[in-house]
Amino acid sequence: MDINNLLRQHDEVFELITKINRYQNQEQVKENSFEISKSLAQLSGILKIHLGSEDKYVYPVLIKHQDVKIRKIAESFSQEMGELAKVFDAYKIKYLGAYKIAENAETFLDETKVVFFALKERIKKEDISLYPLLK
């Protein structure tokens, strides 16, 4: 299975997270809320494509794998990602649009740290524990 596209998407997610995270205080968030909302929309789009690809091509193959260890890892990751996807969707909806980001800059900063940390950790786990199984 070719995972190059999935790895490229991981890089794009990290790039967008870094771009959004460069705004570290409420004033910066308020002043740059339009740019942040554009980056957040891009991030959402990449994650939607990425998760769809994993759901359609990666997890079905690994969940049926003959190796029990691989099956268990795939099942665990699949369940975990479903929960993280729900968390991200709620976050995205809450901050959909520059106005919502600017008006809620403090909570945006707090929630962004939590959601982005979870996304980065998840991607690292996939890169280390899951994707090598596909090679």
Side-chain angles (χ1 to χ4, degrees), residues 35-81:
E35 285 301 315
I36 294 169
S37 69
K38 285 187 348 186
S39 296
L40 191 54
Q42 288 176 305
L43 178 60
S44 177
I46 291 168
L47 286 174
K48 183 176 182 177
I49 291 167
H50 183 76
L51 297 176
S53 295
E54 286 182 337
D55 289 347
K56 189 172 182 181
Y57 302 110
V58 175
Y59 290 110
V61 170
L62 295 180
I63 288 172
K64 294 177 184 174
H65 199 278
Q66 62 186 11
D67 185 323
V68 175
K69 180 182 176 187
I70 292 173
R71 281 198 312 264
K72 288 186 183 221
I73 291 172
E75 288 168 357
S76 171
F77 274 45
S78 180
Q79 290 170 355
E80 243 179 61
M81 197 57 213

Side-chain angles (χ1 to χ4, degrees), residues 9-36:
Q9 290 166 349
H10 279 185
D11 290 342
E12 291 172 354
V13 167
F14 273 117
E15 185 179 307
L16 287 165
I17 285 173
T18 300
K19 189 175 182 179
I20 294 168
N21 276 340
R22 73 177 169 211
Y23 306 110
Q24 294 292 309
N25 63 53
Q26 291 181 48
E27 284 307 311
Q28 290 175 336
V29 168
K30 289 176 184 179
E31 291 171 12
N32 297 284
S33 61
F34 181 72
E35 285 301 315
I36 294 169

